[in-house]
Amino acid sequence: LRPVHVIGGGLAGSEAAWQLASRGVPVVLHEMRPVRKTEAHDTDKLAELVCSNSFRSDDAEYNAVGLLHEEMRRCGSLILRCADAHKVPAGGALAMDRDGFADAVTEAISTHPLITIQREEVAGLPPEEWDSVIVATGPLTSPALAEAVRAQTGEESLAFFDAIAPIVYLESVDLSKAWFQSRYDKPGPGGTGKDYINCAFEKDEYRAFIAALIEGEKLDFKEWEKNTPYFEGCLPIEVMAERGVDTLRYGPMKPVGLTNPHRPERRPYAVVQLRQDNALGTLYNLVGFQTKLRHAEQARIFRMIPGLENAEFARLGGMHRNTFLNSPRILDGALRLKSLPRMRFAGQVTGCEGYVESAAVGLLAGRFAAAERLGHEISAPPVTTALGAILGHITGGAEAETYQPMNVNFGLFPPVDDKIRGRDRKLAYTRRAMADLDGWLKG
Ligand code: FAD
């Protein structure tokens, strides 16, 4: 069998290589460290954890990332096996001894008879003789490769900075205060004229909100991020607030073209708009609310928005250096580039977010590339599983226009029966996922 080439030996690339080799497919893994470094990695180990040493909650019954852990274990994940083997006490979270974990992944990959590691940067599109390639080069993909991918996919298809606005679950929005309406009732393409959720402020509420944004505790950009000019056009919400008390009222919070049906006699003083974020219509993002506020501060301050007092957040906002594709637009359902199908993408570069999600997409890319090489049919996991929910989101379920990195969460799953509420609802998602995953694995 001809080898599959995997570029990048991080969380996703290591998992993809393992899945391929476990199915008898030879792999050449190209990792540029230590020949060329990234701004965040410190070692030459595969699957180095660049920041925290946690894979978050390990609760497979009530938590979406815990469910993803369990699904990956059942799929024979190397990353989960090494994480379990090097676990440190962390309450309900799965946290690891970072060196023990990365050493174990490095050892498993480098001693596998079907895997060859080449320590080199792939500094452009892979040569044509590499007929099956998985690009798993992460949020800090080297500039030469990023530029080549950008040239292949088009200017708008690769971002170098994320500008993440918080996302709320629709079911947690108080629609006795908020309402559906597009500005001037204009339907956008495919819209109805009621495409946005609007949250209106009175003057005193607005002033208090601006003060909270300015006073809220923020994270700094890292030194190496400050040199990246790509976020100029997309300022954090708190920076806009600092420019003047009315800046937001004339910007993303302008109240024009909107009538609050709960108080039609009063013109709103300012309005936050929420836009649908996924095809299922379960998630809405706060338009223009990219932010460097600390997560706890975001939850506190954004619950001051009338109608969001009890909001549950599927994702909180952020801004980081992060190279990622507009995957819903340019990848097919098996993670292949539509314009160059010998190239597949995996990991954070596809716009999933987080160590576990990156490894999960690596797992799928490895399985898909192996099936292709072995002449088997590619079978995607059911959309009701955590693996299927992430895959579905990045390859078509997310809105391409507003695509930003996303963690796994229950908002990405097809909803379960509306009558099931609270903790039971989460259990219904995870039970359905496990049953469907087992059926898929048997198939
Ligand atoms: P990586 O693990 O980064 O692996 C990519 C690999 O590709 C690297 O080893 C790199 O050297 C190599 N590479 C790049 N370009 C080339 C090339 N041209 N040729 C050959 N090799 C190349 N997620 C969390 O869940 N928790 C966190 O605490 C967290 N903190 C983060 C902190 C920072 C500073 C950053 C940048 C990201 C963080 N993330 C975090 C997000 C993300 O989950 C991780 O970056 C994760 O490692 C992504 O996995 P990956 O396999 O896609 O990329």
Side-chain angles (χ1 to χ4, degrees):
L1 283 177
R2 286 161 64 77
V4 171
H5 293 261
V6 177
I7 309 177
L11 278 298
S14 301
E15 185 66 62
W18 182 257
Q19 293 293 325
L20 280 152
S22 305
R23 286 165 176 74
V25 177
V27 179
V28 182
L29 177 61
H30 307 261
E31 168 52 57
M32 70 178 183
R33 289 175 292 123
V35 182
R36 193 187 164 113
K37 297 198 160 107
T38 78
E39 295 90 340
H41 293 82
D42 283 331
T43 73
D44 62 359
K45 294 175 188 175
L46 302 179
E48 178 182 333
L49 302 173
V50 287
C51 186
S52 105
N53 63 331
S54 170
F55 278 3
R56 317 196 314 271
S57 172
D58 201 27
D59 177 349
E61 289 194 308
Y62 294 99
N63 187 289
V65 78
L67 171 67
L68 185 56
H69 294 168
E70 190 51 32
E71 291 185 9
M72 291 174 71
R73 289 183 183 108
R74 293 189 190 189
C75 293
S77 160
L78 174 69
I79 294 296
L80 258 293
R81 192 184 84 191
C82 296
D84 286 335
H86 292 276
K87 216 166 146 162
V88 295
L94 174 56
M96 300 79 73
D97 173 300
R98 71 175 68 240
D99 288 325
F101 166 74
D103 284 339
V105 176
T106 308
E107 169 77 9
I109 295 283
S110 52
T111 57
H112 197 294
L114 286 175
I115 304 178
T116 309
I117 304 178
Q118 290 184 0
R119 298 282 182 170
E120 63 189 8
E121 178 190 3
V122 177
L125 281 191
E128 276 181 22
E129 57 271 25
W130 299 7
D131 66 342
S132 177
V133 181
I134 297 176
V135 181
T137 43
L140 305 174
T141 295
S142 74
L145 178 59
E147 279 308 331
V149 171
R150 203 174 203 207
Q152 171 67 31
T153 56
E155 183 81 357
E156 297 300 314
S157 294
L158 190 82
F160 292 97
F161 230 92
D162 57 35
I164 301 181
I167 290 184
V168 297
Y169 294 99
L170 171 62
E171 62 192 27
S172 69
V173 176
D174 181 354
L175 290 171
S176 71
K177 291 189 180 163
W179 74 99
F180 280 95
Q181 185 186 11
S182 306
R183 247 181 243 287
Y184 301 108
D185 302 308
K186 270 196 200 145
T192 60
K194 292 191 186 301
D195 301 334
Y196 289 79
I197 297 177
N198 302 282
C199 299
F201 286 78
E202 295 287 327
K203 185 173 178 178
D204 54 338
E205 292 168 337
Y206 174 77
R207 291 285 168 104
F209 182 65
I210 297 297
L213 285 177
I214 294 171
E215 283 157 19
E217 211 185 325
K218 286 125 200 146
L219 295 163
D220 283 333
F221 283 105
K222 299 211 168 61
E223 254 334 289
W224 47 270
E225 289 182 315
K226 288 182 187 158
N227 303 327
T228 310
Y230 300 106
F231 60 92
E232 273 305 306
C234 194
L235 287 173
I237 191 87
E238 61 278 5
V239 173
M240 279 190 262
E242 278 163 13
R243 291 193 170 175
V245 69
D246 285 326
T247 305
L248 283 169
R249 237 163 57 76
Y250 288 99
M253 290 177 71
K254 61 178 176 287
V256 300
L258 298 165
T259 310
N260 182 353
H262 308 299
R263 303 189 68 180
E265 72 290 356
R266 280 178 77 90
R267 190 168 177 268
Y269 190 73
V271 172
V272 171
Q273 288 204 301
L274 279 65
R275 180 165 44 211
Q276 188 172 330
D277 200 81
N278 62 341
L280 292 169
T282 49
L283 300 174
Y284 276 74
N285 65 61
L286 277 65
V287 179
F289 270 57
Q290 58 277 359
T291 176
K292 290 293 278 183
L293 284 165
R294 284 185 178 280
H295 279 183
E297 291 285 79
Q298 290 185 40
R300 177 179 69 79
I301 296 170
F302 297 147
R303 287 191 184 118
M304 292 169 73
I305 299 173
L308 300 191
E309 292 84 351
N310 298 310
E312 291 297 328
F313 294 90
R315 177 182 81 190
L316 286 159
M319 294 182 79
H320 318 91
R321 246 285 306 274
N322 194 353
T323 310
F324 66 100
L325 296 166
N326 194 315
S327 300
R329 187 173 289 151
I330 65 170
L331 298 187
D332 72 9
L335 297 165
R336 285 172 297 219
L337 202 56
K338 289 177 194 162
S339 66
L340 195 61
R342 71 184 170 97
M343 278 174 76
R344 254 195 180 82
F345 285 82
Q348 183 126 340
V349 76
T350 64
C352 64
E353 167 74 35
Y355 298 145
V356 187
E357 289 83 344
S358 296
V361 179
L363 182 146
L364 292 173
R367 288 177 76 103
F368 294 165
E372 209 171 64
R373 186 55 104 221
L374 296 167
H376 300 160
E377 203 177 313
I378 291 178
S379 150
V383 293
T384 46
T385 61
L387 284 165
I390 304 181
L391 179 70
H393 185 73
I394 63 185
T395 61
E399 293 295 329
E401 289 300 310
T402 55
Y403 189 61
Q404 289 290 327
M406 180 70 118
N407 286 127
V408 66
N409 64 78
F410 290 123
L412 304 182
F413 293 63
V416 294
D417 188 339
D418 269 352
K419 290 196 249 358
I420 312 174
R421 309 298 299 170
R423 271 171 75 75
D424 288 348
R425 193 166 175 80
K426 294 181 176 164
L427 198 56
Y429 279 113
T430 59
R431 292 233 164 109
R432 181 180 68 177
M434 280 305 172
D436 291 354
L437 183 87
D438 287 345
W440 176 64
L441 287 176
K442 278 189 202 120

